[in-house]
Amino acid sequence: MGLFSGVIDPRERDRILCDSVIVPVTTNHLGEILNVGRATPVWNRAQRRAVTTRSPHCQWPGCQTIAAWCDIHPHQFREHGGDTSVANGVHLCRRHHVFLHQHRDWNSTFDHQHFRVFRADGTEVHPDAWHLAA
Ligand SMILES: [Zn+2]
Ligand SMILES: [Zn+2]
């Protein structure tokens, strides 16, 4: 078949792991994902509903993309002691979710209400200027 598993961009892999559990992932020789096996969402319906009630849209500063189109990003990664509790979940639209995972030198803070984003140089992304960031 010429297919093999396991070679995808690590940043993409992180993003995928962030919102789901996947076994296995099939990719082509370019590392593009061809097939994703049985995926079990980390966040159950009740949790998603709770996060949506708290934040009905993407929590990137200034972004109004509705929650139904968002991923839930655990602010503290499981590998770093975070969990999939509702308090730890941040709605991010696909664009901002991918962006955040592709910019490891950026920082974010989340106090269970406000998600704040800081560029690599330490300056904060403000709601009225978020579109200038990307
Ligand atoms: Zn994420
Ligand atoms: Zn967004």
Side-chain angles (χ1 to χ4, degrees):
M1 266 166 68
L3 301 177
F4 59 96
S5 294
V7 183
I8 58 175
D9 185 318
R11 291 169 304 191
E12 179 70 3
R13 173 188 152 277
D14 278 3
R15 186 187 62 73
I16 293 168
L17 290 176
C18 181
D19 203 33
S20 56
V21 174
I22 293 167
V23 235
V25 176
T26 308
T27 59
N28 66 13
H29 66 288
L30 296 174
E32 293 166 344
I33 298 170
L34 298 178
N35 179 53
V36 174
R38 191 167 55 86
T40 306
V42 169
W43 304 86
N44 66 34
R45 269 172 190 278
Q47 288 175 314
R48 285 181 185 278
R49 211 178 298 125
V51 174
T52 300
T53 300
R54 196 192 57 215
S55 61
H57 52 77
C58 174
Q59 291 185 262
W60 189 274
C63 184
Q64 296 294 320
T65 301
I66 60 171
W69 296 350
C70 290
D71 297 330
I72 299 179
H73 170 76
H75 181 251
Q76 296 287 333
F77 260 114
R78 280 178 301 262
E79 327 156 18
H80 303 139
D83 57 27
T84 52
S85 72
V86 170
N88 193 34
V90 179
H91 264 135
L92 288 175
C93 68
R94 185 52 52 92
R95 175 182 176 185
H96 288 128
H97 197 192
V98 169
F99 185 88
L100 191 68
H101 279 271
Q102 286 179 339
H103 291 76
R104 289 296 185 85
D105 49 351
W106 286 41
N107 276 306
S108 57
T109 62
F110 183 55
D111 63 1
H112 308 307
Q113 274 298 337
H114 303 289
F115 186 66
R116 300 172 68 189
V117 181
F118 300 87
R119 299 181 187 85
D121 65 4
T123 58
E124 184 169 2
V125 176
H126 290 291
D128 55 347
W130 68 267
H131 53 279
L132 300 176

